[in-house]
């Protein structure tokens, strides 16, 4: 990792190379070039609304026809279920742009399905506390024997878990979040537990299963200082950039925030995975969806990360933790994107 201060603007490695290559003939050419990712792996997406493999492919192809201009190379959908497993596996086997997580519900631990799903090509397990919050469930369900057996199996295969653990209380109109999402419904149903309760159950599993790379979705809805402290305590804990890490069109991060976040990503360069939470649905492959992706890309670009860190965040960390095969560079010939 580069020791370059967060406030400095890094340049692409080829800028320095031209200072001496060919006896410096092209020194200074493209002096403004910044590091650019070879491709992007979005580790946190959704694919809803159909179980038909051909319709899934058409949605995928329609989205990537636009998103490849921003170097998106692969999306990993969170929604592998017994109902769509055959279709997801068929698309993933045919198209390297698509991979999928297996989705588990707190009230239905199913080790047999997890094993079948992994054999069919699932990269790991995605679990959510959303149903638990909404229906005032039991946060300690994840410590039950059936779930502990599932985690033990995943650990034995060094497979990752992407976990939507907590949910912020407040509105977040900048990124489209409603006030007290899921909690308002949960309180009506008698929920007495808190985000801290949910977080502690999650961390207990992180401690018990050190061989599982846990990815806390949406930065666990906690601030960067506490997230950094958790990274220090838990070497198998990671996070993705989904939801919180966005910059809208024409916006620029305030410089103090940009420098602080840039330093955080540089320090924890091997724990940060690019994710967006985009949702592919029939009839919804449009400019709005594309801008959802671009807002997350813009956030990372404004951090001005060194080339090595940028490659890790945008694709290498996901490729390593999700055991994916590397992709080729997404640049298309001499086209400028």
């Amino acid at each position: 990792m580069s020791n370059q201060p967060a406030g400095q603007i890094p340049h692409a490695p080829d800028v320095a190379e031209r200072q001496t290559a060919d006896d410096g003939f092209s020194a200074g050419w493209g002096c403004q070039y910044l590091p650019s990712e070879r491709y992007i792996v979005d580790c946190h997406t959704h694919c809803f609304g159909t179980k038909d493999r051909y319709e899934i492919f058409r949605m995928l192809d329609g989205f990537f026809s636009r998103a490849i201009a921003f170097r998106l190379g692969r999306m990993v959908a969170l929604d592998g279920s017994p109902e769509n497993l055959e279709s997801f596996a068929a698309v993933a086997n045919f198209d390297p742009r698509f991979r999928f997580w297996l989705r588990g519900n707190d009230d239905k631990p199913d080790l047999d399905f997890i094993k079948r799903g992994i054999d069919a090509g699932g990269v790991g397990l995605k679990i959510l506390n959303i149903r638990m919050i909404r229906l005032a469930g039991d946060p300690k369900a994840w410590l039950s024997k059936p779930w502990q057996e599932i985690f033990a199996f995943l650990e034995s295969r060094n497979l990752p878990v992407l976990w939507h653990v907590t949910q912020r209380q407040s509105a977040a109109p900048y990124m489209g979040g409603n006030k007290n999402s899921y909690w308002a419904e949960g309180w009506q149903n008698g929920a007495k537990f808190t985000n801290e309760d949910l977080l502690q159950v999650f961390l207990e599993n992180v401690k018990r299963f050190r061989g599982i790379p846990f990815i806390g979705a949406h930065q666990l809805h906690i601030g960067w200082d506490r997230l950094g402290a958790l990274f220090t305590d838990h070497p198998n804990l990671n996070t993705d950039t989904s939801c919180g890490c966005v910059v809208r069109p024409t916006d620029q991060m305030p410089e103090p925030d940009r420098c602080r976040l840039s330093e955080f990503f540089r320090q924890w360069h091997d724990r940060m995975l690019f994710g967006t939470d985009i949702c592919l649905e029939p009839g919804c492959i449009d400019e709005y969806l594309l801008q959802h992706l671009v807002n997350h890309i813009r956030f990372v670009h404004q951090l001005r990360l060194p080339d090595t860190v940028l490659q890790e965040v945008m694709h290498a960390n996901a490729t390593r933790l999700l055991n994916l095969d590397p992709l080729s560079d997404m640049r298309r010939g001499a086209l400028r994107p």
Side-chain angles (χ1 to χ4, degrees):
M1 185 181 69
S2 170
N3 293 320
Q4 185 179 40
Q8 279 189 5
I9 299 177
H11 290 96
D14 57 279
V15 174
E17 182 182 357
R18 281 190 291 276
Q19 292 299 112
T20 56
D22 194 17
D23 294 326
F25 179 83
S26 296
W29 186 89
C31 62
Q32 82 282 7
Y33 288 174
L34 302 177
S36 61
E37 65 278 355
R38 290 187 287 278
Y39 64 91
I40 297 172
V41 173
D42 188 343
C43 77
H44 188 144
T45 72
H46 292 276
C47 185
F48 290 145
T50 180
K51 303 181 184 70
D52 183 274
R53 68 183 66 182
Y54 302 105
E55 188 166 25
I56 293 171
F57 175 77
R58 286 192 294 270
M59 290 194 302
L60 189 72
D61 207 45
F63 182 60
F64 272 84
S65 70
R66 305 181 187 191
I68 194 173
F70 300 94
R71 300 191 184 174
L72 182 66
R74 174 175 285 151
M75 59 170 281
V76 190
L78 275 52
D79 309 297
S81 68
E83 293 74 25
N84 63 27
L85 179 59
E86 183 177 349
S87 294
F88 271 30
V91 175
N93 185 60
F94 172 76
D95 195 326
R97 299 173 298 183
F98 182 80
R99 294 293 183 266
F100 63 95
W101 297 90
L102 304 171
R103 183 163 178 165
N105 293 322
D106 59 292
D107 62 330
K108 295 178 180 179
D110 189 343
L111 180 57
D112 289 339
F113 165 64
I114 300 299
K115 290 180 177 179
R116 286 192 294 111
I118 295 301
D119 289 342
V123 302
L125 178 65
K126 165 64 189 289
I127 51 181
L128 306 93
N129 285 348
I130 292 176
R131 197 201 77 91
M132 183 179 290
I133 294 172
R134 281 176 163 168
L135 299 182
D138 179 9
K140 294 185 178 180
W142 306 113
L143 302 176
S144 67
K145 182 179 178 181
W147 274 110
Q148 296 295 286
E149 290 175 348
I150 288 174
F151 292 139
F153 166 74
L154 295 171
E155 184 177 46
S156 72
R157 299 282 293 271
N158 192 34
L159 294 170
V161 171
L162 177 61
W163 195 329
H164 183 140
V165 180
T166 55
Q167 184 65 32
R168 46 134 188 92
Q169 295 176 17
S170 68
Y174 189 88
M175 51 71 66
N178 295 322
K179 186 172 183 178
N180 298 333
S181 299
Y182 315 134
W183 283 108
E185 187 177 350
W187 293 330
Q188 289 181 351
N189 289 323
K192 302 299 182 185
F193 53 84
T194 66
N195 271 317
E196 189 63 35
D197 296 326
L198 297 174
L199 180 63
Q200 291 305 318
V201 172
F202 167 73
L203 292 175
E204 179 61 32
N205 281 301
V206 173
K207 287 188 292 186
R208 290 184 182 184
F209 300 96
R210 293 295 194 188
I212 293 178
F214 284 92
I215 305 164
H218 317 313
Q219 309 92 64
L220 293 169
H221 291 104
I222 59 177
W224 299 101
D225 289 342
R226 188 175 188 193
L227 184 58
L230 293 183
F231 281 167
T232 298
D233 291 341
H234 305 286
N236 58 325
L237 177 60
N238 311 269
T239 194
D240 66 35
T241 64
S242 62
C243 295
C245 298
V246 296
V247 175
R248 298 184 68 235
T250 76
D251 284 355
Q252 293 287 326
M253 287 190 213
E255 189 62 10
D257 296 325
R258 191 199 66 76
C259 289
R260 179 189 182 198
L261 290 168
S262 180
E263 187 59 42
F264 186 93
F265 274 66
R266 292 162 191 248
Q267 179 180 0
W268 301 108
H269 57 99
D270 57 342
R271 309 287 193 94
M272 309 300 297
L273 285 73
F274 183 83
T276 64
D277 207 21
I278 62 170
C279 300
L280 268 61
E281 299 179 80
C284 298
I285 310 303
D286 54 18
E287 185 64 22
Y288 202 100
L289 186 66
L290 181 66
Q291 290 302 321
H292 183 140
L293 167 70
V294 175
N295 283 349
H296 286 81
I297 297 174
R298 185 182 296 111
F299 170 92
V300 178
H301 286 177
Q302 288 193 11
L303 296 179
R304 303 176 192 166
L305 299 172
D307 184 74
T308 54
V309 178
L310 181 67
Q311 305 305 332
E312 286 183 294
V313 172
M314 289 305 217
H315 64 87
N317 289 337
T319 298
R320 170 175 53 86
L321 293 180
L322 278 59
N323 300 301
L324 303 173
D325 53 308
L327 294 175
S328 300
D329 196 309
M330 286 297 109
R331 289 172 292 188
R332 194 170 72 195
L335 297 180
R336 300 304 174 231

